[in-house]
Amino acid sequence: MGATDVDPFEYLTRPPPNETPEERTIRERKEVEAKKVSDQIDEEIRKERAVMKKQQNAVRVLLLGQSESGKSTTLKNFRMRYAREEWQAELASWRTVIQLNLIRSVLSILDAVQSELDNDPAEPPGTPGADETEFLHTPTDGSTSPALASPAFNHPSSSKPGQRRPSVSSIHRQLQSKASSSSLRKDALGGKESSLLGGQHQLLKLRLAPLRRVETDLRRQLGASADDEVVDGAASDEYGALGQVDAGSSVRSTGLRRRTTARKEVSVRRLKDALSGGDRAGKSKGHSRTNSEGSGDDAVDEATDVIAKCKDDIKALWMDEAVRLVLKKRKIRLEDSAGFFLDDVDRIAAREYVPSDDDVVRARLRTLGVQEYRITVDQPGSVLSGLGATGSEWLLYDVGGSRTMRHAWIPYFENITAIIFLAPVSCFDERLLEDSRINRLEDSFLLWRHVCSSKLLQKTSLILFMNKCDLLKRKLKMGVKVNKYLPSYADRPNEAGHVVKYLKEKFRDIVKANAPEGGRVAYYYATSVTDTKTTYTTLKAVKDIILRDHLKNADFV
C-alpha cells in the first residue's frame, strides 16, 4: 500500500461530510451500541468454545437396561457419592415420592382385601402362569367402592367444619349391617363369604380411605402422567429389543408368570421437575396447616398430616395375620417390589420425617424421558490425578427402558465413553409387561446382543451389572427352580452363586460372538444396587476402569 493510498477501514468509518453535532452524537451512540453487541457475541463464542473443549474431555456414561432393571438406582448411587452437595439439597424433596410409595403399597393391600371380601378369584381364569408364584405386587386401580365414597366415613382432615366424625362403634354397626346384607346376597348367588377377613378389616379399609385422595394429591404435586392401560405387545409384532421382534429364543416362554398390573406405574418426564414441584407444594401447604396436637410452629402439609393420623391403622393392616394370608393367597409380595416402606411406617409417618440416603435410593418413581446429570470425579492421590482435569467431569445418561422407548437409545451411542448395562438376574421366571411372549431374562440377552454388535459402540467400554442378586437369593430360597424356566441350566445347583456364574458365561459368550476384529473386553459385576455400601465399592472399581479406558483412547496412557 503506497503512502497516498486510503485505508479502506478508515474510509468506511470516516464521518460523513458536513455532519452536524446532533448527527455526530447519534452516530457515536449507535457505534457504542454496535460494539457492545459485538463484544457480547464474542463472549458467547468464547464460552461455547470453552464448553466444547470441556465436553471433549468429559466422560460420557450411558445406563442401559430394560424397565425396572435398576438404572435409576445406579444413577442415584453415583450422584450420592460424586455430587454430594446437589444430592443433599434434594433429600427433602424426595419425601413426596416416598410418601406416595408408602400409600400405593397400602392401597395395594386394601385392593387385595376388597377382592377377598368380594370373593374374586386370586388369579383370573386363563391367566398365563396362574400356577406360578407371584413376587411383584399388583398396583391399585384407583377405584373407590361406594362404601369408601360415603361422606360418613371421610377422614377428619377432609370433613366439613362443624361436621362430627362418626364413632368407631357407629361405623362398626354399619359395617355389620352391610356385611350381613352382603352375605345374604352371596348366599343367594351360591357364593361363600371369605373366612379370612371380618368386620375389623372392613373398618380398617374405611379408616384408610382418605389415603386414596392423598395419593391423587401427591401425584398432582409431582406432575405424574395420567394412568393409561398397558398395551401388551403380544397382540402385534410392533416391538422388539430395539424396535422389532427377534425370532428365536433360548429361554422357555411357556408357563411364565406374566407381571399383570391394573395400571401403569406413577411416571414423570423429568425427575428434577417432579422433585421441585413436590417440594414447592409441600412448602406452600406447610404454612397453611398445623397439626391437631401441636402449635403453629409445627406446621405440616396435608399429606403428611393424614399419613401421620393413619399411622396406627397402616401398621395394623400390614401386621394383621389374616391380611398376610390374603396376600400370600393372592401371590402378592410387596416386600420384593421397589419403593417398599411398610416396615418403616413409624419413621416415615412422622411429621418431622426427612428422607435418608437409603430411603431415596430405595424410592421408586418411573421416568419416561432421558435424565442427564453431571458429576465430578476426583482422583486425589491416584496415578491418574497428575493428568489434569481430563476425565474429571462425567455426564451420566439414564434413558427409558420400556420397549416403546428404546428407539431413543441409538442417538446416545455416538461418542459415548462407557455403557453400564443392567440385567436383573432375578427375573428368569417373569414376562415383560409390554409383551407377554417374552421372558425378561431373554429380553436382557437380546438387548445385550444388540449393544455388543453395534458398530457405534466398538470402542466403548462395556460394563455389565447382573443386578438384583438379593432378590434372586430370596426367590431361590422360596423353592423356585431355575431349570424349570431355563432348561439349559440342567441339574446345576439351584443356588444364587451358581446361577450368577452360569448367566455370566452366557453374557460373555455373546460378547465373544459379536466382538470386533482384535477382540473385546467387557467387565462383569454381580450387584444389588439398593445396597449402597457394596455398590459404592463396585462404583469405585468401575470408575477406575472407565477413566483408564477413557485416557487410553485420549492417548494419555
Side-chain angles (χ1 to χ4, degrees), residues 46 56 133 156 161 178 188 194 236 267 283 373 377 395 407 462 503-504 525:
R46 281 193 293 269
Q56 286 177 352
T133 304
K178 290 180 181 291
S194 170
S236 68
S267 55
K283 289 179 179 178
Y373 286 94
V377 178
L395 297 176
H407 62 277
L462 297 182
L503 295 179
K504 177 181 177 181
Y525 294 91

Side-chain angles (χ1 to χ4, degrees), residues 118-120 181-193:
D118 293 341
N119 275 344
D120 291 341
S181 60
S182 175
S183 178
L184 290 175
R185 288 195 300 270
K186 291 182 183 294
D187 289 341
L189 295 173
K192 295 181 179 180
E193 188 70 27

Side-chain angles (χ1 to χ4, degrees), residues 2 11 21 27 105 188 198 254 329 376 415 466 482 493 529 533:
Y11 176 79
R27 177 178 57 79
S105 294
T254 58
K329 172 185 175 182
T376 302
N415 297 324
M466 292 175 287
V482 175
V529 293
K533 292 183 179 179

